[in-house]
Amino acid sequence: MTTLLHPADTLTRDALTVLQPGFTGTSAPDWLLRRLGEGLASVGLFGRNVDSPEQLAALTAQLRAEREDILVAIDEEGGDVTRLEVRGGSSFPGNLALGAVDDTRLTHDVARELGRRLAECGVNLNWAPSADVNSNPSNPVIGVRSFGADPGLVARHTAAYVEGLQSAGVAACAKHFPGHGDTAVDSHHDVPHIAAELRTLQERELVPFRAAIAAGTKAVMSAHILLPALDGTLPATLSRNVLTGLLRAPASEGGLGFDGLIVTDGMEMQAISATYGIERGSVLAIAAGADAICVGGGLADEATVLRLRDALVRAVRDGELSEKRLADAAARVRALARWTRSAGAPQGGVAPAPEAGLVAARRALRITRDGPFEPVTSPAYVAAFTPVANIAVGDETPWGVAAELARLVPGTETGTYGDALAAESGTPAWTEEILRAAGERRIVAVVRDVHRHAWMAGALDALLVARPDTVVVEMGLPQAPPRGALHIATHGAARVCGRAAAEVIAGG
């Protein structure tokens, strides 16, 4: 690929500075280290880059040996979306569990401990928290990642999370502006259209973002959603009306007055890449007011970085993108890097709170009993009803109660039942298979968003008719009526949520 300008050129350096690319492997590739020397100022880490805290700390040290002020970002929400513990499940419950407890001190403390662990590994920017109001319970991409459906509750916990995370020296990034909760479409696959009127947006979706900004969030991430009330043509990430006219504009002009870093959601997501392409999309995003381009979840190579760098440089040369706008964006990236090195660092460190996540998970449980309940003290059979995971969560992180219950009740076994199997065999045959596998053992049925999946609801109903003593654990959004001899709503599928539920099932 032809380089448009010399690598030392200011314009080229600024174009590299606004990129937040990913890479493959658990150590930094040579190409990435070279680009850090040429102006690249940020990297994004994913589950593929993390083996252990020690390995991650070594990786970030390797990056800082090349550029001391680098921003190292990660998508670590805790709960269902974890990168630090992608192979074992998170030590922290997600937002919905914290919202269910509704103790802002607890939310602050959980976020602070999460931030402490990130900082200890050398990560200084977290693409969290989700500040979305989950106003549509059929939402396929937010769900338990939201603190809840009430704007006031979401706002106070978003603020507490931002303050807790940043008290550990890690910059928070409230997402997905201006709110991804009122949609039934996942922007990883298509462009969600949100028909809400401006007044509804002001009274619902924007409330948590105002709270995040008031709490001092250092960054806000845009959403790839189309809101005709704000812009009938371009999705929020590419819309000047949304990013500059709403998010940046002062309160006196009806805006939110945010002066920190605006980060895009992943540019490979189909909502952008399938319609605009990532090069064109990146140019439009910077022109609209974004300061940092998140890319690398799927395209994680040097060629992608060079394509985006050169597209931005070319856009300035052609007069499509203001050189001042690009320079301003780069300056905001550098300003956040300075914060993480100085004002953001806590004085005297942060005291470890290793049990904070488990305490929160236990408090988040909502338990319903259908009469007296006999704890499961002999080997049980766990039937895990497994829907297809959304891309943000991924399918590589284990979830459920089986591992934790087997630890408490040795000999417990599990079987996995997904929507593909249901379509092939039909609910009756499926139920018979579960009963056959369980034999005389108690059955624990683990479901996730049962209200969104007809196959899951049908299979659960049939199972409860055959075995009324079945324990039901809902690890998604608890919208369906509680059913089963014991029904536990965990408000998330993190490892600690599974542990808390298993303790109850085993009578602990």
Side-chain angles (χ1 to χ4, degrees):
M1 179 173 292
T2 302
T3 301
L4 296 182
L5 297 172
H6 189 276
D9 185 277
T10 299
L11 184 55
T12 303
R13 295 189 69 85
D14 284 349
L16 281 170
T17 298
V18 302
L19 303 181
Q20 290 190 349
F23 58 94
T24 58
T26 53
S27 62
D30 289 342
W31 70 261
L32 182 67
L33 298 176
R34 288 198 308 274
R35 300 304 168 188
L36 289 174
E38 296 173 5
L40 188 67
S42 310
V43 297
L45 301 181
F46 299 86
R48 63 177 180 247
N49 304 119
V50 181
D51 273 344
S52 68
E54 296 76 18
Q55 167 271 322
L56 181 56
L59 168 58
T60 58
Q62 181 188 17
L63 294 169
R64 288 201 168 83
E66 189 66 37
R67 179 168 185 146
E68 189 176 0
D69 63 345
I70 186 173
L71 283 174
V72 181
I74 202 167
D75 194 2
E76 180 57 55
E77 300 176 15
D80 290 26
V81 180
T82 179
R83 310 302 179 224
L84 282 184
E85 300 177 278
V86 66
R87 291 168 183 82
S90 182
S91 300
F92 303 91
N95 285 3
L96 189 66
L98 297 172
V101 178
D102 197 12
D103 178 344
T104 53
R105 185 71 239 176
L106 179 68
T107 296
H108 177 281
D109 291 348
V110 166
R112 184 175 173 87
E113 173 61 12
L114 178 58
R116 184 193 70 80
R117 296 190 193 185
L118 289 171
E120 196 172 59
C121 294
V123 176
N124 54 13
L125 170 59
N126 190 11
W127 294 319
S130 169
D132 305 292
V133 178
N134 198 51
S135 46
N136 184 346
S138 295
N139 194 314
V141 68
I142 302 301
V144 297
R145 300 168 66 196
S146 167
F147 289 110
D150 176 74
L153 179 146
V154 176
R156 60 180 174 266
H157 286 278
T158 296
Y161 196 106
V162 166
E163 291 169 353
L165 189 65
Q166 294 188 167
S167 72
V170 176
C173 181
K175 62 185 183 186
H176 306 81
F177 186 82
H180 206 314
D182 187 17
T183 175
V185 175
D186 184 345
S187 54
H188 289 91
H189 304 296
D190 204 348
V191 182
H193 290 236
I194 295 179
E197 296 179 354
L198 181 58
R199 179 177 176 179
T200 301
L201 295 174
Q202 293 282 3
E203 295 176 351
R204 189 176 64 192
E205 270 70 27
L206 297 182
V207 174
F209 289 98
R210 293 185 189 279
I213 292 167
T217 188
K218 295 299 176 182
V220 170
M221 178 177 282
S222 66
H224 304 328
I225 54 176
L226 189 66
L227 301 98
L230 299 173
D231 189 322
T233 305
L234 295 169
T237 293
L238 311 183
S239 171
R240 184 172 177 80
N241 290 349
V242 174
L243 300 188
T244 300
L246 179 61
L247 183 54
R248 283 274 187 242
S252 60
E253 298 176 13
L256 276 66
F258 179 61
D259 195 40
L261 189 78
I262 299 177
V263 185
T264 72
D265 207 344
M267 297 302 283
E268 304 102 313
M269 294 164 64
Q270 291 296 299
I272 300 296
S273 62
T275 304
Y276 304 92
I278 62 168
E279 294 100 324
R280 175 74 176 155
S282 296
V283 169
L284 291 174
I286 297 295
D291 305 304
I293 301 296
C294 177
V295 66
L299 299 173
D301 53 24
E302 183 179 24
T304 298
V305 172
L306 297 181
R307 283 166 56 197
L308 297 185
R309 179 201 66 183
D310 291 352
L312 291 167
V313 170
R314 187 181 300 110
V316 172
R317 289 294 197 195
D318 292 347
E320 184 181 5
L321 174 64
S322 161
E323 185 172 0
K324 182 178 182 303
R325 169 80 273 276
L326 180 61
D328 175 66
R332 290 182 189 277
V333 173
R334 297 178 189 119
L336 180 55
R338 286 194 299 274
W339 179 87
T340 64
R341 295 182 63 199
S342 55
Q347 299 299 312
V350 177
E355 296 296 304
L358 181 58
V359 168
R362 287 169 174 161
R363 290 182 63 186
L365 297 182
R366 296 296 177 264
I367 301 167
T368 305
R369 292 180 174 85
D370 185 13
F373 172 73
E374 195 69 31
V376 175
T377 56
S378 58
Y381 184 76
V382 177
F385 295 72
T386 306
V388 176
N390 72 60
I391 292 175
V393 174
D395 57 9
E396 57 189 328
T397 304
W399 67 281
V401 303
E404 295 295 335
L405 189 58
R407 183 177 58 82
L408 298 175
V409 186
T412 292
E413 296 179 353
T414 186
T416 300
Y417 305 89
D419 48 2
L421 178 60
E424 291 173 6
S425 63
T427 297
W430 203 13
T431 304
E432 290 171 9
E433 181 180 335
I434 294 173
L435 294 172
R436 204 165 38 243
E440 298 300 316
R441 293 175 292 180
R442 292 281 294 279
I443 297 174
V444 178
V446 182
V447 296
R448 200 168 179 176
D449 293 339
V450 70
H451 69 286
R452 292 183 51 233
H453 304 285
W455 64 269
M456 191 184 297
L460 182 61
D461 286 343
L463 184 58
L464 289 171
V465 168
R467 292 285 294 271
D469 65 343
T470 295
V471 174
V472 178
V473 183
E474 168 62 85
M475 304 196 80
L477 197 67
Q479 293 288 302
R483 290 169 290 174
L486 175 72
H487 184 279
I488 304 174
T490 61
H491 300 92
R495 177 176 53 79
V496 285
C497 298
R499 177 176 171 180
E503 290 172 346
V504 173
I505 295 168

